[in-house]
Amino acid sequence: MKVSDIMTTKLVCLSHEASLKDAHDLMQSRGVRHLPVVSESNGMLVGILTHKKMISTVMSMIYKYGADALERKERNQRIQSLMESDFQQLNRDESLASVAEYFIENKLGCLPVVDSEGKIEGIVTSSDFVKLCAQLLKSQ
């Protein structure tokens, strides 16, 4: 099996110019835990914003400034400074066995799938592997 067999292609992405408030609202409304961040100028994948990082930042803001100031602080915080910009990327033809090992060794929640030009095609999450496992167990 290959990455393309389980990757999610209906992506929820965010511009690198977006605010933390934009990311927070998008994660909440779309029920996602990982947001690929793309450049507005060329559509290239430039980062990943995780739910864990977003929540950590929000909680820090609440602690430091209080809940009443949260929305204002979130609007002024650009995700470019919060996103992970040094991350492993996959291509659609990589074997799932090697990707599973990478997930286990690095304790990651997601890996982006990019084409040869660096544009995002999909994302593989730990949830995708759990779904695959459930399908394989049911077919036994």
Side-chain angles (χ1 to χ4, degrees):
M1 292 188 81
K2 301 183 297 188
V3 165
S4 60
D5 295 321
I6 69 165
M7 72 182 193
T8 300
T9 56
K10 293 182 182 176
L11 298 172
V12 178
C13 296
L14 198 60
S15 161
H16 74 288
E17 305 253 337
S19 70
L20 178 59
K21 177 70 173 148
D22 297 329
H24 193 166
D25 290 346
L26 197 55
M27 282 185 181
Q28 245 179 349
S29 68
R30 300 301 279 288
V32 295
R33 295 181 301 134
H34 310 96
L35 287 174
V37 181
V38 295
S39 168
E40 280 192 20
S41 63
N42 60 15
M44 301 274 284
L45 179 67
V46 294
I48 300 285
L49 182 66
T50 65
H51 188 255
K52 182 178 180 179
K53 179 67 174 182
M54 192 255 328
I55 291 295
S56 169
T57 304
V58 166
M59 294 306 293
S60 177
M61 287 176 169
I62 290 172
Y63 178 74
K64 190 171 183 179
Y65 304 109
D68 293 341
L70 178 61
E71 188 170 332
R72 181 174 45 81
K73 291 294 183 182
E74 279 186 315
R75 288 192 191 289
N76 291 324
Q77 177 72 56
R78 298 285 145 226
I79 62 165
Q80 207 165 12
S81 64
L82 301 174
M83 68 184 189
E84 180 63 48
S85 56
D86 182 25
F87 51 88
Q88 179 69 32
Q89 300 175 17
L90 303 174
N91 71 56
R92 62 179 27 257
D93 295 322
E94 287 188 57
S95 88
L96 285 183
S98 64
V99 175
E101 285 299 319
Y102 190 83
F103 267 96
I104 292 166
E105 290 173 12
N106 294 285
K107 298 182 180 171
L108 296 174
C110 76
L111 287 169
V113 182
V114 297
D115 66 15
S116 60
E117 297 173 0
K119 292 189 178 177
I120 189 150
E121 291 188 302
I123 194 167
V124 175
T125 67
S126 53
S127 295
D128 294 325
F129 275 99
V130 171
K131 289 174 192 171
L132 175 62
C133 183
Q135 288 173 354
L136 294 173
L137 289 170
K138 285 179 186 176
S139 67
Q140 286 186 350

